[in-house]
Coordinates of all heavy atoms in Angstrom, one line a residue:
K82 N 12.1 10.9 -3.9 CA 12.5 9.5 -4.2 C 11.5 8.6 -3.7 O 11.1 7.7 -4.4 CB 13.9 9.1 -3.7 CG 14.2 7.7 -4.0 CD 15.6 7.4 -3.7 CE 15.9 6.0 -4.2 NZ 17.3 5.5 -4.0
F83 N 11.0 8.8 -2.5 CA 9.9 8.0 -2.0 C 8.7 8.0 -3.0 O 8.1 6.9 -3.3 CB 9.4 8.6 -0.6 CG 8.2 7.9 0.0 CD1 8.4 6.7 0.7 CD2 7.0 8.5 -0.1 CE1 7.2 6.1 1.3 CE2 5.9 8.0 0.6 CZ 6.0 6.7 1.3
I84 N 8.3 9.1 -3.4 CA 7.1 9.2 -4.3 C 7.4 8.6 -5.7 O 6.5 7.8 -6.2 CB 6.6 10.7 -4.5 CG1 6.0 11.2 -3.1 CG2 5.6 10.8 -5.6 CD1 5.8 12.7 -3.1
S85 N 8.6 8.9 -6.2 CA 8.8 8.3 -7.6 C 9.0 6.8 -7.5 O 8.6 6.1 -8.5 CB 10.1 8.9 -8.1 OG 11.3 8.5 -7.4
E86 N 9.5 6.2 -6.4 CA 9.6 4.8 -6.3 C 8.2 4.2 -6.2 O 7.9 3.2 -6.9 CB 10.3 4.5 -5.0 CG 11.8 4.7 -5.1 CD 12.6 3.8 -6.1 OE1 12.7 2.6 -5.7 OE2 12.9 4.2 -7.2
Y87 N 7.3 4.8 -5.4 CA 5.9 4.3 -5.5 C 5.2 4.4 -6.8 O 4.5 3.5 -7.2 CB 5.1 5.0 -4.4 CG 4.9 4.3 -3.1 CD1 5.6 4.7 -2.0 CD2 4.1 3.2 -3.0 CE1 5.4 4.0 -0.8 CE2 4.0 2.5 -1.8 CZ 4.7 2.9 -0.7 OH 4.5 2.2 0.4
E88 N 5.5 5.4 -7.6 CA 4.9 5.6 -8.9 C 5.4 4.6 -9.9 O 4.7 4.2 -10.9 CB 5.1 7.0 -9.4 CG 4.4 8.1 -8.6 CD 4.6 9.5 -9.1 OE1 5.6 9.8 -9.7 OE2 3.6 10.3 -9.0
R89 N 6.6 4.1 -9.7 CA 7.2 3.0 -10.6 C 6.8 1.6 -10.1 O 7.4 0.7 -10.7 CB 8.6 3.2 -10.9 CG 9.6 2.9 -9.8 CD 11.0 3.0 -10.1 NE 11.9 2.5 -9.1 CZ 12.2 1.2 -9.0 NH1 11.8 0.3 -9.9 NH2 13.0 0.8 -8.1
G90 N 6.0 1.5 -9.0 CA 5.6 0.3 -8.5 C 6.4 -0.4 -7.4 O 6.1 -1.5 -7.0
A91 N 7.5 0.4 -6.9 CA 8.3 -0.2 -5.8 C 7.7 0.3 -4.5 O 6.8 1.0 -4.4 CB 9.7 0.3 -6.0
T92 N 8.2 -0.4 -3.4 CA 7.9 0.0 -2.0 C 9.1 0.4 -1.3 O 9.9 -0.4 -0.8 CB 7.2 -1.1 -1.4 OG1 6.1 -1.6 -2.0 CG2 6.8 -0.7 0.1
P93 N 9.5 1.8 -1.3 CA 10.8 2.2 -0.8 C 10.8 2.2 0.7 O 9.8 2.2 1.4 CB 11.0 3.6 -1.3 CG 9.6 4.0 -1.5 CD 8.7 2.8 -1.8
N94 N 12.0 2.4 1.3 CA 12.2 2.6 2.7 C 13.0 3.9 2.9 O 14.1 4.1 2.8 CB 13.1 1.5 3.3 CG 13.2 1.5 4.9 OD1 13.1 2.6 5.4 ND2 13.2 0.3 5.5
P95 N 12.1 5.0 3.2 CA 12.7 6.3 3.3 C 13.7 6.5 4.4 O 14.6 7.4 4.4 CB 11.5 7.2 3.5 CG 10.4 6.4 4.0 CD 10.7 5.0 3.5
C96 N 13.5 5.7 5.5 CA 14.5 5.9 6.6 C 15.9 5.5 6.2 O 16.9 6.1 6.7 CB 14.0 5.0 7.8 SG 12.4 5.5 8.5
V97 N 16.1 4.5 5.3 CA 17.4 4.2 4.8 C 18.0 5.4 4.1 O 19.1 5.8 4.2 CB 17.3 3.0 3.8 CG1 18.5 2.7 3.1 CG2 17.0 1.7 4.7
E98 N 17.1 6.0 3.2 CA 17.7 7.1 2.3 C 17.9 8.3 3.3 O 18.9 9.1 3.0 CB 16.6 7.5 1.3 CG 16.3 6.5 0.4 CD 17.5 6.1 -0.4 OE1 18.2 6.9 -1.0 OE2 17.8 4.8 -0.5
C99 N 17.2 8.6 4.3 CA 17.4 9.7 5.2 C 18.7 9.5 6.0 O 19.5 10.4 6.1 CB 16.2 9.8 6.2 SG 16.4 11.3 7.3
N100 N 19.0 8.3 6.5 CA 20.3 8.0 7.2 C 21.4 8.2 6.2 O 22.4 8.8 6.5 CB 20.3 6.6 7.7 CG 19.6 6.4 9.0 OD1 19.7 7.3 9.9 ND2 18.8 5.4 9.1
R101 N 21.2 7.7 4.9 CA 22.3 7.7 3.9 C 22.7 9.1 3.6 O 23.8 9.5 3.5 CB 21.9 6.8 2.7 CG 22.9 6.9 1.6 CD 22.3 6.0 0.4 NE 23.3 5.8 -0.6 CZ 23.0 5.0 -1.6 NH1 21.8 4.5 -1.8 NH2 23.9 4.8 -2.6
H102 N 21.7 9.9 3.1 CA 21.9 11.2 2.5 C 21.9 12.4 3.5 O 22.7 13.4 3.2 CB 20.9 11.5 1.4 CG 21.0 10.5 0.3 ND1 22.2 10.3 -0.5 CD2 20.1 9.6 -0.2 CE1 22.0 9.4 -1.4 NE2 20.7 8.9 -1.3
L103 N 21.2 12.3 4.5 CA 21.2 13.4 5.4 C 21.9 13.3 6.7 O 22.9 14.0 7.0 CB 19.7 13.7 5.8 CG 18.7 14.1 4.6 CD1 17.4 14.6 5.1 CD2 19.4 15.1 3.7
K104 N 21.6 12.2 7.5 CA 22.3 12.1 8.8 C 23.8 11.8 8.6 O 24.6 12.4 9.4 CB 21.7 11.0 9.6 CG 22.0 10.9 11.0 CD 21.1 10.1 11.9 CE 19.7 10.7 12.1 NZ 18.8 9.9 12.9
F105 N 24.2 10.9 7.7 CA 25.6 10.6 7.6 C 26.3 11.2 6.4 O 27.5 10.9 6.2 CB 25.8 9.0 7.6 CG 25.4 8.4 8.9 CD1 24.0 7.8 9.0 CD2 26.1 8.5 10.0 CE1 23.6 7.2 10.2 CE2 25.6 8.0 11.2 CZ 24.4 7.3 11.3
E106 N 25.7 12.0 5.7 CA 26.4 12.9 4.7 C 26.2 14.4 5.0 O 27.2 15.0 5.3 CB 25.8 12.6 3.3 CG 26.3 11.3 2.6 CD 25.8 11.1 1.2 OE1 25.2 12.1 0.6 OE2 25.9 10.0 0.7
E107 N 25.0 14.8 4.9 CA 24.8 16.3 5.0 C 25.1 16.7 6.5 O 25.8 17.9 6.7 CB 23.2 16.6 4.8 CG 23.0 18.0 4.6 CD 23.7 18.6 3.4 OE1 23.9 18.0 2.3 OE2 24.0 19.9 3.5
L108 N 24.8 15.9 7.5 CA 25.0 16.4 8.9 C 26.6 16.4 9.2 O 27.1 17.4 9.8 CB 24.3 15.4 9.8 CG 24.0 16.0 11.2 CD1 23.2 17.3 11.2 CD2 23.2 15.0 12.1
F109 N 27.2 15.4 8.7 CA 28.7 15.4 8.8 C 29.3 16.7 8.2 O 30.1 17.3 8.7 CB 29.3 14.2 8.1 CG 29.7 13.1 8.9 CD1 29.2 11.8 8.8 CD2 30.6 13.3 10.0 CE1 29.6 10.8 9.6 CE2 31.0 12.2 10.8 CZ 30.5 10.9 10.7
K110 N 28.8 17.0 6.9 CA 29.3 18.1 6.2 C 29.1 19.4 6.9 O 30.0 20.3 6.9 CB 28.6 18.1 4.8 CG 29.4 19.0 3.7 CD 28.9 18.7 2.4 CE 27.4 18.9 2.2 NZ 26.9 18.5 0.8
R111 N 27.9 19.6 7.6 CA 27.6 20.8 8.2 C 28.3 21.0 9.6 O 28.5 22.1 10.0 CB 26.1 20.9 8.4 CG 25.4 21.0 7.0 CD 24.1 21.8 7.1 NE 23.4 21.9 5.9 CZ 22.3 22.6 5.7 NH1 21.9 23.4 6.7 NH2 21.7 22.6 4.6
C112 N 28.6 19.9 10.2 CA 29.2 20.0 11.5 C 30.7 20.0 11.5 O 31.4 20.5 12.4 CB 28.8 18.7 12.3 SG 27.0 18.7 12.8
E113 N 31.3 19.7 10.5 CA 32.8 19.8 10.4 C 33.3 21.2 10.6 O 34.2 21.5 11.3 CB 33.3 19.2 9.0 CG 33.6 17.8 9.0 CD 34.1 17.2 7.7 OE1 33.7 17.8 6.7 OE2 34.9 16.3 7.7
P114 N 32.7 22.2 9.9 CA 33.2 23.6 10.1 C 33.0 24.1 11.5 O 33.7 25.1 11.9 CB 32.3 24.4 9.1 CG 31.8 23.4 8.1 CD 31.7 22.2 8.9
L115 N 32.2 23.5 12.3 CA 31.9 23.9 13.7 C 33.0 23.2 14.7 O 33.0 23.4 15.8 CB 30.5 23.4 14.1 CG 29.4 24.2 13.4 CD1 28.0 23.5 13.8 CD2 29.4 25.6 13.7
G116 N 33.9 22.4 14.0 CA 34.9 21.7 14.8 C 34.6 20.3 15.3 O 35.4 19.8 16.1
Y117 N 33.5 19.8 15.0 CA 33.2 18.4 15.5 C 33.6 17.4 14.6 O 33.4 17.4 13.4 CB 31.6 18.3 15.6 CG 31.0 19.3 16.7 CD1 30.5 20.6 16.3 CD2 31.1 19.0 18.0 CE1 29.9 21.4 17.2 CE2 30.6 19.8 19.0 CZ 30.0 21.1 18.6 OH 29.5 21.9 19.5
D118 N 34.4 16.4 15.1 CA 35.0 15.4 14.3 C 34.4 14.1 14.5 O 34.7 13.1 13.8 CB 36.5 15.2 14.6 CG 36.8 15.3 16.1 OD1 36.0 14.9 16.9 OD2 38.0 15.8 16.4
T119 N 33.4 14.0 15.4 CA 32.7 12.7 15.7 C 31.2 13.0 15.7 O 30.7 14.0 16.3 CB 33.1 12.1 17.0 OG1 34.5 11.9 17.0 CG2 32.4 10.8 17.3
L120 N 30.4 12.1 15.0 CA 29.0 12.2 15.0 C 28.4 11.0 15.9 O 28.9 9.9 15.8 CB 28.4 12.0 13.6 CG 26.9 11.9 13.4 CD1 26.3 13.3 13.9 CD2 26.4 11.7 12.0
V121 N 27.4 11.4 16.7 CA 26.8 10.4 17.6 C 25.3 10.4 17.4 O 24.7 11.4 17.2 CB 27.1 10.9 19.1 CG1 26.5 9.9 20.1 CG2 28.6 10.9 19.4
T122 N 24.8 9.2 17.3 CA 23.3 9.0 17.1 C 22.8 8.0 18.2 O 23.6 7.3 18.8 CB 22.9 8.5 15.8 OG1 23.1 7.1 15.6 CG2 23.7 9.3 14.7
G123 N 21.5 7.9 18.3 CA 20.9 7.1 19.3 C 20.5 5.7 18.7 O 19.7 5.0 19.3
H124 N 21.1 5.4 17.5 CA 20.8 4.1 16.9 C 21.2 2.9 17.9 O 22.3 3.0 18.5 CB 21.4 4.0 15.6 CG 20.9 4.7 14.5 ND1 21.4 5.9 14.0 CD2 19.7 4.5 13.8 CE1 20.6 6.4 13.1 NE2 19.6 5.6 12.9

Side-chain angles (χ1 to χ4, degrees):
K82 180 167 183 180
F83 174 81
I84 291 169
S85 67
E86 289 290 286
Y87 260 107
E88 289 181 332
R89 72 175 189 88
T92 304
N94 189 324
C96 298
V97 169
E98 296 303 310
C99 187
N100 279 320
R101 178 182 189 175
H102 295 300
L103 299 190
K104 195 165 285 182
F105 294 104
E106 278 183 20
E107 194 64 33
L108 206 51
F109 258 125
K110 195 163 65 181
R111 295 212 181 187
C112 291
E113 274 182 322
L115 298 172
Y117 294 99
D118 43 31
T119 301
L120 176 65
V121 180
T122 78
H124 285 104

